[in-house]
Each structure stands twice: as structure tokens, then as C-alpha cells.
Amino acid sequence: MKQVWLWILALLVILVWAETFVSSKVLLDYGLMPADIFFYRFILSYVCLIFLSHKRVLCMSWADELLCVLLGITGGSLYFLCENMALKFSTASNVAILVGTTPLLTALLLAVFYHEERLSRRQVLGSFIAFVGLVLVVLNGQLVLHLNPVGDALAMGASVTWALYSLFIKRLSGRYDVMFVTRKVFAYGLITILPWFVWVEPLQLTPAILSQPVVWVNLLYLGLIAAMGCFLLWNWLLPRLGVVKATNLIYSQSAFTMFIAAIVLGERITLMAVAGVITLTLGMLLATRKSRLRLSSHRRH
């Protein structure tokens, strides 16, 4: 029963993250840039976490501190910049499909570096079926993809950075408090985004934009719930569910986004997308279901 609740919490995190695409789109329409949205949501989260977790400042070793820097880059500044900049050069469909390869890349990386996380044939098959479902959901009736080297490379970069984040966070699991690690992710994410504001695009500080209720309500939601709350919960869930199985749930994010966008933004849903949701769900169930044969063999030993 405990395992069921863990999966429910994980799906809740994915559901919230799926909605962030809608909130981010609203903020972009109101004049904020991708880097602005990232900075404001992370600064809100960091300030709140300082009050909740402030006893420890540094990690136990400089190697761990460097690992936290990498977490801030791969799970924060670089990931969000790659994903949002990709949307400027390529289509949303291309970006969503390429970012959707994250579970496969994560599984491959963990299979190389962690013996216990190696994929079974059932997980490989389930991951492939889920990816096919993801493609159907994202295409949503449109059968033509327009390739764009720059945008597609950035989208692939976002996928790789999140896969690396999953790899790095596993190395710190059990050695530090989840709240401390999450706080470090936000801190280094904010620090590593600063060069962007200095050399590329200044931070948006216009009161006329930031004072609008729609803007600050969405920023509060993105910062306190989608960033702080969900990062804390996700980092806590990863070692309990297993990185590969938990990351496979990211496939469902596109389906959640599709339904939320249909309700909030009035976007259409086609039969292809519905078929994609069904295929995606079957693939995820196959990829995350425990193998009875493997469990019984462990009991014999």
C-alpha cells in the first residue's frame, strides 16, 4: 500500500510539472522571458527553503559541493535555458518529443554507471512503447515534423541535462537531507544563470509587468508549488521508487499537458492523441511493473 502512495505522489508531481507549460506560456505572453521566469521561480523557492533549512551551509566534502553545482546547472539553469530557448527555434512538437527522450537517456546512463539500475527486456520494451505513445500525443494529428538543427539540438540538450541530473542526485541520496540538497540545487541554479543576464539578456524588472495579478499569481505557483514543493518531493521519491522507474513517469507529462491545455487554452485533442495516451499508459505500466520472476528468485536466495 505504501508503494501505491509513492506512485500517486510521483504522478502528482508530474501533473504539476505538466501544468507549468501552461503557466509559463501565460507569463511569456505577458512579457517575461524564459530566463526571467526561471530566476523568479527559483528565487522564491530558495528564500522559502532558507527558512526551512539553514543549519548546514556546505557539504561534507568539496567533491559533494561540486556535485551540487552540477545539480544546479543540470536541473536548473542549463536545463531550463535549453528547453525554453529550443521553443524559439523549433516547433513545440519537435521540442516535446526530443525532451521526451529523457527517460531513455536516464536509463542508459544509469545502466552504465549503476549495476542495480540496469534495464530488463520488459523495461526496454515498455519504455519504447511509452515513447511511441509520447510521439502520438505530441503530434496530435499533425504528421509532419519540421527539423531545425539549432532548436532540436537545444531540446536534446535539455533531455541530456535532466538525465545527468538524475544520475548526480542518485550519488547524493542518503548522504544529505533532501531539503538541504534541494536548497543547494536552487542556489547554484540561480548563481549559474547570472552570466546570462549580464552578457545575453538583462533580467526583466519592469513594475508594470511584475505588478499584474496574473503574473505574480503564476510566479508564486511556479516558485512555491512547481519548483520548491515538487523538487523536494521528487528528490525524496527518486531513491524510494528507483531512478529509472520514476523517470519513466515523465512520459505522462505530455499527456497531462495536452488535457490541461485543452481545458485552459482551448487547444484541440485528436483521436491520434487519445491513442497516444493509451499507448503511453500501457508502456509506462509495462516499464514500471515489478517482475514477479525476479522477486521470487530473490526470495530463493
Side-chain angles (χ1 to χ4, degrees), residues 7-22 133-134 137-138 221 234 248-265 267 269 273 276-277 280-281 284:
W7 285 113
I8 291 173
L9 288 173
L11 281 171
L12 181 62
V13 171
I14 298 299
L15 176 60
V16 172
W17 281 345
E19 197 283 331
T20 61
F21 286 98
V22 177
L134 167 74
V137 169
V138 171
Y221 170 79
W234 187 254
N248 267 318
L249 293 177
I250 292 176
Y251 283 127
S252 64
Q253 183 170 299
S254 59
F256 285 141
T257 302
M258 178 185 69
F259 288 119
I260 294 169
I263 296 170
V264 178
L265 303 176
E267 295 184 2
I269 299 176
V277 171
L280 187 153
T281 303
M284 282 198 308

Side-chain angles (χ1 to χ4, degrees), residues 114-144:
Y114 293 97
H115 178 76
E116 70 274 14
E117 292 282 2
R118 288 183 180 172
L119 289 173
S120 65
R121 291 179 181 178
R122 173 180 50 77
Q123 287 178 307
V124 172
L125 178 61
S127 295
F128 177 74
I129 293 172
F131 181 70
V132 171
L134 167 74
V135 173
L136 293 175
V137 169
V138 171
L139 288 177
N140 198 13
Q142 298 177 4
L143 297 176
V144 179

Side-chain angles (χ1 to χ4, degrees), residues 113-255:
F113 292 102
Y114 293 97
H115 178 76
E116 70 274 14
E117 292 282 2
R118 288 183 180 172
L119 289 173
S120 65
R121 291 179 181 178
R122 173 180 50 77
Q123 287 178 307
V124 172
L125 178 61
S127 295
F128 177 74
I129 293 172
F131 181 70
V132 171
L134 167 74
V135 173
L136 293 175
V137 169
V138 171
L139 288 177
N140 198 13
Q142 298 177 4
L143 297 176
V144 179
L145 282 176
H146 301 283
L147 299 179
N148 184 291
V150 176
D152 295 344
L154 285 167
M156 203 66 209
S159 181
V160 171
T161 54
W162 190 261
L164 289 171
Y165 174 83
S166 300
L167 186 70
F168 296 147
I169 200 73
K170 183 175 174 62
R171 292 181 65 88
L172 288 179
S173 296
R175 284 153 60 185
Y176 298 96
D177 178 73
V178 172
M179 199 170 291
F180 168 75
V181 174
T182 306
R183 194 191 83 213
K184 300 290 280 187
V185 172
F186 291 145
Y188 284 120
L190 289 167
I191 291 170
T192 54
I193 197 69
L194 293 179
W196 179 269
F197 295 128
V198 175
W199 296 321
V200 181
E201 194 173 63
L203 178 66
Q204 176 62 260
L205 297 170
T206 307
I209 294 176
L210 297 176
S211 62
Q212 296 183 74
V214 174
V215 171
W216 55 259
V217 165
N218 276 282
L219 284 175
L220 285 173
Y221 170 79
L222 290 173
L224 302 184
I225 298 176
M228 186 185 75
C230 287
F231 264 81
L232 279 172
L233 191 53
W234 187 254
N235 290 344
W236 179 80
L237 286 166
L238 278 180
R240 288 163 175 80
L241 292 176
V243 177
V244 173
K245 291 181 179 179
T247 308
N248 267 318
L249 293 177
I250 292 176
Y251 283 127
S252 64
Q253 183 170 299
S254 59

